[in-house]
């Protein structure tokens, strides 16, 4: 998993509450277990017109936000079903940080396991960041210092679980955490082979 230490990038505003995982990646894109190629389905019902062309009104289709790496979103982001394809699609598009006032629990957990930093802030701070994003500002999200740096020198601090912070800073998903104990696992297997050769 790619490490996350500090990210400076374009922030796209998505001032919609209760964006569920079906809005993030509709069901027709769930036929694959590959984590790549899902960006084409990200927000597809909002990104594309019935004709198949791009919807010029959707934020990620606007020139200023095509290369966004941060999403500033409304409350309760990632609600709905528990599909892990949602963070996969966001990551495949290039979005490494989502900022909101709250997240659905399963989506929140899945973000950390896939190298995305979900940041929870208060409503006043979100309003300020949304305003910055709507004005095309670049934000810096510093995980080490647990700070978001916005326009006009604004600095917003955020809380994060120390274990999750450790995993993101070191690029450790569940497999990576297990591999950190590879020596102990190998030693156990060697002892087991000697004491229980029949197994």
């Amino acid at each position: 998993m790619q490490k996350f230490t500090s990210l400076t990038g374009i922030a796209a505003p998505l001032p919609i509450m209760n964006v569920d995982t079906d809005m993030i990646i509709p069901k027709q894109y769930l036929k694959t277990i590959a984590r790549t190629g899902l960006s084409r389905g990200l927000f597809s019902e909002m990104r594309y017109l019935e004709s198949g062309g791009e919807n010029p009104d959707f934020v990620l289709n606007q020139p200023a936000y095509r290369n966004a790496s941060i999403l500033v979103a409304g409350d309760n982001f990632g609600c709905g079903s528990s599909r892990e394809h949602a963070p996969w699609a966001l990551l495949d598009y290039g979005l490494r940080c989502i900022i909101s006032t709250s997240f659905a629990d399963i989506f929140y957990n899945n973000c950390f396991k896939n190298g995305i930093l979900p940041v929870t802030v208060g409503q006043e701070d979100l309003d300020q960041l949304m305003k910055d994003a709507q004005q095309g500002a670049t934000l810096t999200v510093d995980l080490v210092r647990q700070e978001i740096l916005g326009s006009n020198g604004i600095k917003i601090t955020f809380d994060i679980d120390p274990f999750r912070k450790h995993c993101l800073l070191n690029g450790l998903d569940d497999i990576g955490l297990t591999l950190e104990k590879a020596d102990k696992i190998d030693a156990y297997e060697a002892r087991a082979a000697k004491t229980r050769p029949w197994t």
Side-chain angles (χ1 to χ4, degrees), residues 18-30 41-46 78-83 85-86 107:
N18 304 314
V19 172
D20 64 26
T21 52
D22 191 55
M23 291 173 69
I24 297 171
I25 183 79
K27 61 185 179 300
Q28 61 266 31
Y29 297 95
L30 306 184
L42 180 68
F43 298 121
S44 66
E45 293 179 357
M46 293 185 283
C79 57
S81 67
S82 60
R83 63 191 68 172
H85 291 68
F107 174 83

Side-chain angles (χ1 to χ4, degrees), residues 23-138:
M23 291 173 69
I24 297 171
I25 183 79
K27 61 185 179 300
Q28 61 266 31
Y29 297 95
L30 306 184
K31 298 174 183 176
T32 179
I33 56 170
R35 299 186 186 199
T36 57
L38 289 170
S39 61
R40 71 182 182 278
L42 180 68
F43 298 121
S44 66
E45 293 179 357
M46 293 185 283
R47 274 173 71 194
Y48 305 111
L49 303 170
E50 286 187 13
S51 64
E54 289 188 349
N55 175 4
D57 295 328
F58 186 66
V59 62
L60 295 181
N61 291 335
Q62 296 169 11
Y65 300 109
R66 284 188 180 273
N67 296 314
S69 56
I70 300 167
L71 188 66
V72 182
D75 189 56
N76 195 30
F77 190 85
C79 57
S81 67
S82 60
R83 63 191 68 172
E84 195 169 6
H85 291 68
W88 292 354
L90 291 162
L91 190 62
D92 192 49
Y93 184 86
L95 292 163
R96 299 272 341 263
C97 179
I98 315 295
I99 304 171
S100 180
T101 48
S102 72
F103 297 89
D105 288 343
I106 295 175
F107 174 83
Y108 186 77
N109 292 332
N110 282 339
C111 281
F112 285 104
K113 294 182 179 188
N114 288 282
I116 296 174
L117 173 61
V119 177
T120 305
V121 297
Q123 188 61 56
E124 286 187 13
D125 289 335
L126 186 77
D127 291 343
Q128 178 60 55
L129 293 170
M130 191 72 73
K131 181 179 177 182
D132 283 359
Q134 289 167 340
Q135 293 174 349
T138 296

